[in-house]
């Protein structure tokens, strides 16, 4: 029943590995850049705030697919040499996801009540101590479930790199399908693999949400 | 203990506090009341330097709050502050909320800080809640933890900013009882509240503020019986049933 999958398993799993690598690099770059973006969004310095806000608003209002396209087709014109699909996709994802991670950080920061910070100050804690023991731990706890969810979304979105010819999981399933014509079986297999990996992620995310409610 | 001289504060063009002059002596309890937006909370926040002000002076125990040379962090350990919305740290248990400042701002060893915290939890009547997170405590219990969190720094002054306004009616008394105990124990206190029963029982002076000014002050009896200003009378008629 799964003959088309089993006879092409190494090829398909090679594509899965490309997907995992792409997601890994997208997050490894997107989260740190997102932290900078988030800090820029809460900055009181207008030379930081306005450019960062402009960047966030532009990117968040463009479909990811277009960001990937644009980067892949326009960048070579600007820099004068063609880009490989993989680094091109990684950079597109980092640029795109950083805006979402940045907004999660901003929301987490703003969810900490001003009063909790002032409570820290009013007991004689310094700025650094208040930030270290009150602001960051509270914001981080609020942010974590959204960060995990956004990471799962990023992982799912990696299959959009399909459009620039990156041989990731879905593209490889498509290649096998053109030869073997077993669409339901092949894309069913891809869906199951995505489902299992994402489900594990969402279970982890939910555990953090429960912890937050308990206060621990 | 606290001297405020001709103090004014603006937010941009808007003047929130106008020429406030007030003296609070050691051991006194002063109640501040007035309609919302009258500047009561802002006044408290200026006293411990959480908000800057542009004119006049405030001295706490002889130290100027607005002097750039003043160590505000040290000054604030002398002034406890209790907030309307408790503002406990949600990621810490009751006892951790209390021990954070002594351990970090005063470098007290954990054992010593915890012993002191337990003593205070006993005093506010909830030693059994020491290891609960704020989310598992009632409003009244949270506010009592917040009071203990301020007291642990052994402040000379306690400020309360509408400490019972966010509480369900049946929990107001347990918080007021703790505050009455403090006042009778000789703590210098400034309390923003509309609990006139509390004001009657422990206050040495009541101040009525409106539109950033102190428009009436008096000892409890004169204040309630013969308010001079029609605004005060109007306000009292609204809050006293």
């Amino acid at each position: 029943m799964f003959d088309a999958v089993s006879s092409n398993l190494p090829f398909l799993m090679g594509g899965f590995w490309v997907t995992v690598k792409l997601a890994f690099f997208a997050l490894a770059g997107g989260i740190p850049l997102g932290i900078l973006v988030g800090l820029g969004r809460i900055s009181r310095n207008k030379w930081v705030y306005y450019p960062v806000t402009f960047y966030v608003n532009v990117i968040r209002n463009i479909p990811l697919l277009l960001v990937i396209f644009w980067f892949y087709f326009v960048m070579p014109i600007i820099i004068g040499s063609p880009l490989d699909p993989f680094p091109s996709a990684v950079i597109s994802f980092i640029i795109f996801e950083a805006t979402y991670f940045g907004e999660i950080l901003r929301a987490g920061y703003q969810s900490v009540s001003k009063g909790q910070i002032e409570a820290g100050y009013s007991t004689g804690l310094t700025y650094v101590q208040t930030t270290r023991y009150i602001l960051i731990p509270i914001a981080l706890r609020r942010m974590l479930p959204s960060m995990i969810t956004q990471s799962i979304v990023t992982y799912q979105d990696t299959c959009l790199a399909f459009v620039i010819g990156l041989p990731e999981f879905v593209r490889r399933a498509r290649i096998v399908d053109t030869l073997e014509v077993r669409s339901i079986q092949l894309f069913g297999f891809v869906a199951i693999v995505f489902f299992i990996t994402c489900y594990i992620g969402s279970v982890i995310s939910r555990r953090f949400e429960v912890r937050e409610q308990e206060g621990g | 203990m606290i001297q405020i001289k001709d103090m004014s504060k603006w937010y941009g063009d808007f003047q929130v506090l106008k020429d406030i002059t007030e003296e609070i002596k050691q051991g006194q309890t002063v109640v501040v009341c007035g309609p919302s937006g009258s500047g009561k909370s802002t006044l408290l926040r200026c006293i411990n330097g959480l908000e800057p002000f542009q004119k006049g002076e405030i001295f706490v125990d002889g130290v100027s709050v607005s002097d750039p040379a003043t160590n505000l962090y040290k000054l604030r350990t002398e002034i406890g502050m209790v907030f309307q919305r408790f503002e406990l740290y949600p990621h810490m248990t009751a006892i951790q909320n209390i021990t954070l400042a002594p351990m970090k701002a005063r470098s007290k060893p954990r054992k010593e800080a915890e012993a002191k915290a337990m003593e205070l939890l006993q005093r506010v009547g909830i030693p059994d809640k020491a290891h609960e997170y704020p989310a598992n405590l009632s409003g009244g219990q949270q506010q009592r933890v917040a009071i203990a969190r301020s007291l642990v720094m052994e402040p000379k002054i306690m400020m309360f900013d509408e400490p019972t306004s966010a509480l369900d009616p049946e929990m107001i008394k347990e918080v007021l009882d703790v505050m009455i105990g403090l006042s009778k124990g000789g703590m210098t206190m400034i309390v923003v509240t509309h609990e006139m029963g509390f004001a009657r029982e422990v206050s040495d002076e009541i101040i009525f503020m409106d539109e950033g000014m102190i428009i009436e002050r008096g000892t409890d009896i004169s204040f309630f019986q013969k308010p001079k200003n029609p605004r005060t009378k109007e306000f009292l008629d609204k809050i006293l049933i």
Side-chain angles (χ1 to χ4, degrees):
Chain A
M1 174 176 176
F2 276 103
D3 55 324
V5 169
S6 55
S7 57
N8 294 290
L9 199 58
F11 180 72
L12 289 171
M13 290 323 277
F16 179 64
W17 178 236
V18 173
T19 292
V20 169
K21 272 198 299 193
L22 181 55
F24 174 80
F25 286 116
L27 295 172
I31 292 174
L33 184 62
I35 290 171
L36 294 179
V37 168
L39 293 175
R41 290 275 285 149
I42 56 184
S43 169
R44 291 207 189 105
N45 183 335
K46 62 181 179 173
W47 295 104
V48 176
Y49 175 82
Y50 285 107
V52 172
T53 302
F54 177 76
Y55 157 58
V56 169
N57 284 334
V58 168
I59 297 294
R60 277 169 57 108
N61 289 299
I62 296 176
L64 173 55
L65 196 64
L66 281 184
V67 175
I68 295 167
F69 257 140
W70 183 88
F71 203 82
Y72 186 61
F73 292 114
V74 178
M75 274 315 275
I77 300 171
I78 296 171
I79 62 173
S81 61
L83 277 171
D84 280 340
F86 189 79
S88 177
V90 166
I91 295 169
S92 306
F93 276 107
I94 289 173
I95 289 172
F96 188 82
E97 298 301 338
T99 63
Y100 283 84
F101 284 111
E103 289 302 270
I104 290 169
L105 184 126
R106 183 186 58 78
Y109 169 83
Q110 288 175 345
S111 78
V112 182
S113 91
K114 206 171 160 235
Q116 284 161 350
I117 305 294
E118 290 188 341
Y121 285 134
S122 76
T123 51
L125 295 178
T126 61
Y127 173 77
V128 172
Q129 288 168 335
T130 306
T131 305
R132 161 77 182 78
Y133 298 108
I134 300 167
L135 175 64
I136 293 177
I138 298 175
L140 215 54
R141 257 156 237 259
R142 305 246 161 95
M143 280 158 49
L144 218 47
S146 313
M147 297 268 288
I148 295 172
T149 304
Q150 188 61 34
S151 300
I152 294 169
V153 170
T154 305
Y155 164 64
Q156 291 171 339
D157 282 352
T158 53
C159 58
L160 288 173
F162 183 103
V163 297
I164 54 170
L166 186 73
E168 45 71 62
F169 199 21
V170 179
R171 178 139 209 121
R172 290 206 183 183
R174 174 91 185 115
I175 291 167
V176 175
D177 187 41
T178 53
L179 299 174
E180 308 229 3
V181 199
R182 290 281 168 65
S183 304
I184 294 174
Q185 186 192 123
L186 284 160
F187 292 113
F189 172 69
V190 172
I192 288 168
V193 173
F194 266 107
F195 173 79
I196 291 169
T197 44
C198 292
Y199 188 74
I200 292 169
S202 64
V203 168
I204 295 169
S205 169
R206 209 165 306 135
R207 179 149 316 162
F208 280 107
E209 277 169 41
V210 170
R211 258 184 56 182
E212 164 66 17
Q213 276 161 9
E214 286 169 352
Chain B
M1 185 61 87
I2 299 176
Q3 285 160 301
I4 306 169
K5 288 180 184 165
D6 284 329
M7 194 272 277
S8 294
K9 175 175 174 62
W10 286 262
Y11 284 122
D13 291 334
F14 178 67
Q15 189 170 7
V16 267
L17 293 171
K18 296 171 189 162
D19 300 319
I20 304 286
T21 296
E22 171 66 14
E23 178 163 8
I24 298 160
K25 296 199 180 72
Q26 180 160 10
Q28 280 193 327
T29 294
V30 172
V31 164
V32 183
C33 62
S36 61
S38 58
K40 305 167 304 231
S41 299
T42 310
L43 178 62
L44 293 195
R45 293 149 54 81
C46 287
I47 292 173
N48 72 354
L50 284 175
E51 296 248 13
F53 51 91
Q54 287 77 25
K55 191 175 145 276
E57 293 223 67
I58 299 178
F59 293 95
V60 175
D61 206 14
V63 178
S64 167
V65 176
S66 56
D67 184 347
T70 299
N71 181 348
L72 275 181
Y73 296 121
K74 186 170 175 299
L75 181 81
R76 288 186 190 128
T77 64
E78 319 257 308
I79 312 172
M81 182 142 178
V82 175
F83 300 83
Q84 181 176 357
R85 306 247 9 129
F86 331 132
E87 308 299 356
L88 294 180
Y89 316 133
H91 59 304
M92 297 181 184
T93 60
I95 195 160
Q96 287 167 338
N97 263 274
I98 301 170
T99 55
L100 180 70
M103 283 169 58
K104 302 303 172 193
R106 290 218 175 115
S107 312
K108 290 251 169 78
R110 177 184 297 274
K111 276 248 166 69
E112 192 186 324
E114 282 182 349
K116 176 87 187 159
M118 279 313 296
E119 192 186 307
L120 286 165
L121 282 171
Q122 196 91 40
R123 189 155 146 205
V124 299
I126 40 172
D128 52 319
K129 303 291 182 191
H131 300 288
E132 294 284 355
Y133 283 94
N136 299 330
L137 299 175
S138 72
Q141 291 166 342
Q142 288 190 54
Q143 193 61 300
R144 287 186 281 162
V145 172
I147 294 173
R149 179 176 66 182
S150 296
L151 288 175
V152 76
M153 298 306 276
E154 297 177 331
K156 293 177 184 153
I157 299 157
M158 282 289 284
M159 302 200 291
F160 296 81
D161 189 0
E162 304 205 30
T164 57
S165 303
L167 295 177
D168 291 335
E170 71 267 26
M171 292 169 188
I172 291 176
K173 190 176 177 299
E174 64 191 44
V175 172
L176 288 181
D177 284 346
V178 171
M179 291 166 59
I180 290 168
L182 276 175
S183 177
K184 291 190 169 163
M187 177 66 78
T188 308
M189 290 171 40
I190 310 177
V191 185
V192 173
T193 187
H194 294 155
E195 291 294 333
M196 289 301 135
F198 171 83
R200 277 207 185 93
E201 184 163 352
V202 296
S203 73
D204 296 286
E205 186 180 40
I206 303 175
I207 293 172
F208 176 70
M209 284 180 72
D210 194 16
E211 295 181 347
M213 289 178 288
I214 297 180
I215 64 170
E216 180 131 13
R217 63 181 86 214
T219 59
D220 60 340
I221 294 162
S222 69
F223 185 82
F224 287 112
Q225 290 178 348
K226 291 179 193 139
K228 291 170 216 131
N229 194 304
R231 297 279 274 288
T232 317
K233 191 174 181 319
E234 193 189 324
F235 180 76
L236 285 176
D237 284 344
K238 275 186 198 145
I239 61 167
L240 299 173
I241 306 151

